[in-house]
Amino acid sequence: MMSRIVSYCFKQLIQPLRFSPQRDTLVQQLRLVMGHYNATMPQVLLVTALIFWTLFNQRNGWAMEYWSLGEVVTTLGFFWYGRRYLASPAAHTRYTVWLVIAGRAFDGVLCGSLAWIALGTSNLAGDVLIFAVIAGMTGGAVSTLSPVMPALVAYVVPALGLVALKTWLMDDPTFHALAAMIVLYATGLSAQAANNSRAAREHSGAGYH
């Protein structure tokens, strides 16, 4: 049953893995993504600091330090590149698309790895915080990354996939059900983002599918 759910959800996730062949449309999509991400940069850094302050302890110390450093470096690096691209959006468009996809994939791995680093090392409130943060970050990605759908999928799949795997490996039927719900949540996010992306393309007059 679980394998069928995963197979169905995977097919739904990979359907939107394409972006416009039209350069002008790509520029518009990238400007939206860069603008969204740069606008939320201070909040991402603040959330990272709060997570570190709340979850850091002797059981996960060095891992939490490296995780927080990775989040800060990735966020500031993407912010810096975003400002450069917004200043001259016509340059290196295709290169920037793949850079955005790779960067969001790396950030998705960081996001999902939080469950492997800190889940079970704190109290119940800490575990709830981990799931809440990951759900919030992936949910927010629908608005920030949906203009470039492959970037959203590159972020959501590792972020929620790692969490689902971690909960599935925990020997408890409740966590098994939670893992299945996480996979369904990822599918729902992808479907919503695909609708947003389609609407944006139609609004821009690109007319491609």
Side-chain angles (χ1 to χ4, degrees):
M1 179 64 180
M2 183 61 184
S3 61
R4 291 182 180 179
I5 293 176
V6 172
S7 176
Y8 170 78
C9 293
F10 181 75
K11 291 178 181 179
Q12 295 300 312
L13 283 170
I14 65 175
Q15 283 181 358
L17 281 177
R18 55 176 172 265
F19 48 82
S20 173
Q22 301 182 24
R23 186 169 178 274
D24 291 343
T25 301
L26 275 179
V27 170
Q28 295 176 20
Q29 291 172 317
L30 288 171
R31 285 183 61 85
L32 281 173
V33 169
M34 298 296 188
H36 291 332
Y37 191 87
N38 286 5
T40 60
M41 185 271 293
Q43 291 87 341
V44 173
L45 292 179
L46 180 59
V47 168
T48 301
L50 289 173
I51 291 172
F52 178 79
W53 179 73
T54 304
L55 298 178
F56 177 83
N57 56 53
Q58 292 183 347
R59 297 177 63 186
N60 60 35
W62 66 269
M64 281 299 302
E65 290 175 352
Y66 282 115
W67 180 87
S68 301
L69 178 63
E71 280 288 350
V72 170
V73 170
T74 301
T75 300
L76 292 179
F78 198 72
F79 175 77
W80 172 79
Y81 188 85
R83 293 193 63 178
R84 287 190 59 191
Y85 184 81
L86 289 172
S88 181
H92 310 297
T93 299
R94 288 281 175 173
Y95 167 81
T96 300
V97 168
W98 290 111
L99 182 64
V100 168
I101 294 172
R104 295 308 88 209
F106 179 75
D107 203 21
V109 171
L110 276 178
C111 181
S113 66
L114 180 62
W116 289 81
I117 293 171
L119 190 63
T121 66
S122 182
N123 53 26
L124 177 60
D127 290 346
V128 172
L129 175 64
I130 293 170
F131 286 111
V133 167
I134 295 175
M137 294 295 286
T138 51
V142 172
S143 61
T144 58
L145 297 178
S146 59
V148 181
M149 272 300 299
L152 176 94
V153 175
Y155 177 76
V156 168
V157 169
L160 294 179
L162 286 172
V163 181
L165 180 60
K166 174 65 174 179
T167 53
W168 181 258
L169 293 177
M170 300 179 77
D171 191 17
D172 188 312
T174 302
F175 281 104
H176 292 169
L178 180 59
M181 286 188 284
I182 290 171
V183 174
L184 293 173
Y185 176 62
T187 306
L189 290 181
S190 179
Q192 293 176 35
N195 288 333
N196 291 344
S197 181
R198 189 180 305 110
R201 295 197 303 266
E202 292 173 353
H203 180 72
S204 67
Y208 68 94
H209 300 279

Short mmCIF file of all heavy atoms in Angstrom, two decimals, residues 8-9 34 36-37 62 81 85 93 104 114 116 119 130 132 140 143 147 149 151-153 168 171-172 178 193-194 209:
data_model
loop_
_atom_site.label_atom_id
_atom_site.label_comp_id
_atom_site.label_asym_id
_atom_site.label_seq_id
_atom_site.Cartn_x
_atom_site.Cartn_y
_atom_site.Cartn_z
N TYR A 8 2.45 6.81 -6.83
CA TYR A 8 1.49 7.81 -7.34
C TYR A 8 1.99 9.22 -7.08
O TYR A 8 1.95 10.08 -7.98
CB TYR A 8 0.13 7.60 -6.68
CG TYR A 8 -0.85 8.71 -6.95
CD1 TYR A 8 -1.52 8.79 -8.17
CD2 TYR A 8 -1.08 9.70 -5.99
CE1 TYR A 8 -2.41 9.84 -8.42
CE2 TYR A 8 -1.96 10.74 -6.25
CZ TYR A 8 -2.63 10.79 -7.45
OH TYR A 8 -3.49 11.83 -7.69
N CYS A 9 2.47 9.46 -5.87
CA CYS A 9 2.92 10.81 -5.51
C CYS A 9 4.14 11.22 -6.32
O CYS A 9 4.27 12.37 -6.74
CB CYS A 9 3.23 10.88 -4.01
SG CYS A 9 1.77 10.70 -2.96
N MET A 34 13.68 35.43 -7.48
CA MET A 34 14.71 36.20 -6.77
C MET A 34 14.10 37.25 -5.86
O MET A 34 14.54 37.44 -4.72
CB MET A 34 15.64 36.88 -7.78
CG MET A 34 16.40 35.94 -8.69
SD MET A 34 17.56 34.89 -7.78
CE MET A 34 18.43 34.11 -9.14
N HIS A 36 11.04 37.24 -4.48
CA HIS A 36 10.40 36.57 -3.34
C HIS A 36 11.43 36.14 -2.30
O HIS A 36 11.26 36.35 -1.10
CB HIS A 36 9.62 35.33 -3.83
CG HIS A 36 8.41 35.65 -4.63
ND1 HIS A 36 7.69 36.81 -4.48
CD2 HIS A 36 7.76 34.93 -5.60
CE1 HIS A 36 6.67 36.81 -5.31
NE2 HIS A 36 6.69 35.69 -6.00
N TYR A 37 12.49 35.50 -2.79
CA TYR A 37 13.49 34.96 -1.86
C TYR A 37 14.21 36.07 -1.11
O TYR A 37 14.40 35.99 0.11
CB TYR A 37 14.50 34.10 -2.62
CG TYR A 37 15.39 33.30 -1.71
CD1 TYR A 37 15.01 32.05 -1.26
CD2 TYR A 37 16.62 33.80 -1.28
CE1 TYR A 37 15.81 31.30 -0.40
CE2 TYR A 37 17.44 33.07 -0.44
CZ TYR A 37 17.02 31.83 -0.01
OH TYR A 37 17.83 31.11 0.85
N TRP A 62 27.57 19.49 17.51
CA TRP A 62 28.35 19.81 16.32
C TRP A 62 27.51 19.76 15.05
O TRP A 62 27.70 20.56 14.13
CB TRP A 62 29.53 18.85 16.20
CG TRP A 62 29.15 17.42 15.93
CD1 TRP A 62 28.91 16.44 16.84
CD2 TRP A 62 28.94 16.83 14.64
NE1 TRP A 62 28.56 15.27 16.22
CE2 TRP A 62 28.58 15.47 14.87
CE3 TRP A 62 29.03 17.31 13.34
CZ2 TRP A 62 28.31 14.60 13.83
CZ3 TRP A 62 28.75 16.42 12.30
CH2 TRP A 62 28.41 15.10 12.54
N TYR A 81 23.56 36.64 -4.90
CA TYR A 81 23.41 36.39 -6.33
C TYR A 81 22.09 36.96 -6.86
O TYR A 81 22.03 37.48 -7.98
CB TYR A 81 23.48 34.89 -6.63
CG TYR A 81 23.52 34.60 -8.12
CD1 TYR A 81 24.72 34.63 -8.81
CD2 TYR A 81 22.34 34.32 -8.82
CE1 TYR A 81 24.77 34.39 -10.18
CE2 TYR A 81 22.38 34.07 -10.17
CZ TYR A 81 23.58 34.11 -10.85
OH TYR A 81 23.61 33.89 -12.21
N TYR A 85 21.51 39.42 -10.02
CA TYR A 85 20.67 39.08 -11.17
C TYR A 85 19.58 40.12 -11.38
O TYR A 85 19.28 40.48 -12.53
CB TYR A 85 20.05 37.71 -10.97
CG TYR A 85 19.24 37.27 -12.18
CD1 TYR A 85 19.88 36.73 -13.29
CD2 TYR A 85 17.86 37.42 -12.22
CE1 TYR A 85 19.16 36.36 -14.41
CE2 TYR A 85 17.13 37.05 -13.34
CZ TYR A 85 17.79 36.52 -14.43
OH TYR A 85 17.08 36.17 -15.54
N THR A 93 20.70 33.73 -18.30
CA THR A 93 19.39 33.28 -17.86
C THR A 93 19.33 31.77 -17.65
O THR A 93 18.90 31.30 -16.60
CB THR A 93 18.32 33.70 -18.89
OG1 THR A 93 18.31 35.13 -18.98
CG2 THR A 93 16.94 33.23 -18.44
N ARG A 104 18.35 25.32 -4.64
CA ARG A 104 17.15 24.92 -3.87
C ARG A 104 17.22 23.44 -3.50
O ARG A 104 16.72 23.05 -2.43
CB ARG A 104 15.90 25.19 -4.70
CG ARG A 104 15.61 26.65 -5.00
CD ARG A 104 15.61 27.52 -3.75
NE ARG A 104 16.94 28.01 -3.45
CZ ARG A 104 17.39 28.31 -2.25
NH1 ARG A 104 16.64 28.11 -1.20
NH2 ARG A 104 18.61 28.76 -2.07
N LEU A 114 17.35 18.38 9.05
CA LEU A 114 17.08 18.82 10.43
C LEU A 114 16.40 17.72 11.23
O LEU A 114 16.69 17.55 12.42
CB LEU A 114 16.21 20.09 10.41
CG LEU A 114 15.84 20.66 11.79
CD1 LEU A 114 17.09 21.08 12.56
CD2 LEU A 114 14.89 21.85 11.63
N TRP A 116 16.82 14.50 10.87
CA TRP A 116 17.82 13.48 11.20
C TRP A 116 18.77 13.96 12.28
O TRP A 116 19.29 13.17 13.07
CB TRP A 116 18.61 13.11 9.95
CG TRP A 116 17.80 12.34 8.95
CD1 TRP A 116 16.92 12.83 8.04
CD2 TRP A 116 17.79 10.92 8.79
NE1 TRP A 116 16.35 11.83 7.31
CE2 TRP A 116 16.86 10.64 7.75
CE3 TRP A 116 18.46 9.87 9.41
CZ2 TRP A 116 16.61 9.34 7.33
CZ3 TRP A 116 18.21 8.58 8.98
CH2 TRP A 116 17.29 8.32 7.95
N LEU A 119 15.66 15.42 15.61
CA LEU A 119 14.46 14.71 16.05
C LEU A 119 14.84 13.65 17.09
O LEU A 119 15.68 12.80 16.86
CB LEU A 119 13.78 14.04 14.86
CG LEU A 119 12.37 13.46 15.12
CD1 LEU A 119 11.39 14.56 15.50
CD2 LEU A 119 11.88 12.71 13.90
N ILE A 130 10.30 21.00 15.08
CA ILE A 130 10.97 20.53 13.86
C ILE A 130 9.96 20.31 12.74
O ILE A 130 10.14 20.80 11.61
CB ILE A 130 11.74 19.24 14.15
CG1 ILE A 130 12.91 19.52 15.09
CG2 ILE A 130 12.24 18.60 12.85
CD1 ILE A 130 13.58 18.28 15.63
N ALA A 132 6.95 21.52 12.51
CA ALA A 132 6.28 22.78 12.17
C ALA A 132 7.15 23.64 11.26
O ALA A 132 6.66 24.23 10.29
CB ALA A 132 5.94 23.54 13.45
N GLY A 140 5.78 27.57 2.45
CA GLY A 140 6.12 28.90 1.94
C GLY A 140 6.79 28.85 0.59
O GLY A 140 6.70 29.81 -0.20
N SER A 143 4.81 29.72 -2.69
CA SER A 143 4.69 31.09 -3.19
C SER A 143 6.01 31.64 -3.70
O SER A 143 6.04 32.42 -4.66
CB SER A 143 4.14 32.01 -2.08
OG SER A 143 5.01 32.02 -0.96
N PRO A 147 7.08 30.05 -9.48
CA PRO A 147 7.32 30.55 -10.85
C PRO A 147 8.32 29.68 -11.63
O PRO A 147 8.24 29.63 -12.85
CB PRO A 147 7.87 31.97 -10.61
CG PRO A 147 7.24 32.38 -9.33
CD PRO A 147 7.21 31.14 -8.49
N MET A 149 9.02 26.00 -11.54
CA MET A 149 8.55 24.76 -10.92
C MET A 149 9.64 23.74 -10.63
O MET A 149 9.63 23.10 -9.57
CB MET A 149 7.47 24.12 -11.78
CG MET A 149 6.06 24.62 -11.46
SD MET A 149 5.58 24.29 -9.75
CE MET A 149 5.68 22.50 -9.71
N ALA A 151 12.55 24.24 -9.62
CA ALA A 151 13.21 24.66 -8.38
C ALA A 151 12.38 24.28 -7.16
O ALA A 151 12.92 23.85 -6.14
CB ALA A 151 13.45 26.17 -8.41
N LEU A 152 11.07 24.42 -7.27
CA LEU A 152 10.21 24.04 -6.16
C LEU A 152 10.29 22.54 -5.90
O LEU A 152 10.43 22.12 -4.74
CB LEU A 152 8.76 24.42 -6.45
CG LEU A 152 7.81 23.96 -5.34
CD1 LEU A 152 7.58 25.05 -4.32
CD2 LEU A 152 6.50 23.47 -5.89
N VAL A 153 10.21 21.74 -6.95
CA VAL A 153 10.28 20.29 -6.79
C VAL A 153 11.65 19.88 -6.24
O VAL A 153 11.75 19.00 -5.38
CB VAL A 153 9.99 19.58 -8.13
CG1 VAL A 153 10.17 18.07 -7.99
CG2 VAL A 153 8.57 19.90 -8.59
N TRP A 168 9.46 7.12 8.80
CA TRP A 168 9.12 5.74 8.41
C TRP A 168 10.04 4.74 9.10
O TRP A 168 9.61 3.64 9.45
CB TRP A 168 9.21 5.60 6.89
CG TRP A 168 8.85 4.23 6.42
CD1 TRP A 168 9.71 3.23 6.04
CD2 TRP A 168 7.53 3.68 6.29
NE1 TRP A 168 9.01 2.11 5.67
CE2 TRP A 168 7.66 2.36 5.82
CE3 TRP A 168 6.25 4.19 6.52
CZ2 TRP A 168 6.57 1.54 5.58
CZ3 TRP A 168 5.16 3.38 6.28
CH2 TRP A 168 5.31 2.07 5.82
N ASP A 171 10.25 2.87 14.49
CA ASP A 171 9.44 1.66 14.65
C ASP A 171 8.17 1.95 15.44
O ASP A 171 8.04 1.59 16.61
CB ASP A 171 10.27 0.58 15.36
CG ASP A 171 9.58 -0.78 15.30
OD1 ASP A 171 8.67 -0.93 14.46
OD2 ASP A 171 9.95 -1.66 16.09
N ASP A 172 7.24 2.64 14.76
CA ASP A 172 5.99 3.01 15.42
C ASP A 172 4.93 3.23 14.34
O ASP A 172 5.16 4.00 13.40
CB ASP A 172 6.18 4.29 16.25
CG ASP A 172 4.97 4.61 17.11
OD1 ASP A 172 3.83 4.57 16.60
OD2 ASP A 172 5.16 4.90 18.32
N LEU A 178 2.40 9.06 9.78
CA LEU A 178 2.90 10.41 9.57
C LEU A 178 3.76 10.49 8.31
O LEU A 178 3.67 11.46 7.55
CB LEU A 178 3.72 10.85 10.79
CG LEU A 178 4.34 12.24 10.73
CD1 LEU A 178 3.26 13.30 10.55
CD2 LEU A 178 5.15 12.51 11.99
N ALA A 193 1.41 24.40 -6.47
CA ALA A 193 2.43 25.21 -7.13
C ALA A 193 2.31 25.12 -8.65
O ALA A 193 2.53 26.10 -9.36
CB ALA A 193 3.82 24.75 -6.69
N ALA A 194 1.95 23.94 -9.16
CA ALA A 194 1.77 23.78 -10.61
C ALA A 194 0.64 24.68 -11.11
O ALA A 194 0.74 25.29 -12.17
CB ALA A 194 1.48 22.32 -10.94
N HIS A 209 2.65 24.88 -22.39
CA HIS A 209 2.18 23.91 -21.41
C HIS A 209 3.23 22.82 -21.25
O HIS A 209 3.98 22.56 -22.17
CB HIS A 209 0.86 23.29 -21.84
CG HIS A 209 -0.22 24.35 -21.99
ND1 HIS A 209 -0.92 24.85 -20.93
CD2 HIS A 209 -0.65 24.99 -23.10
CE1 HIS A 209 -1.80 25.75 -21.38
NE2 HIS A 209 -1.64 25.84 -22.68
#
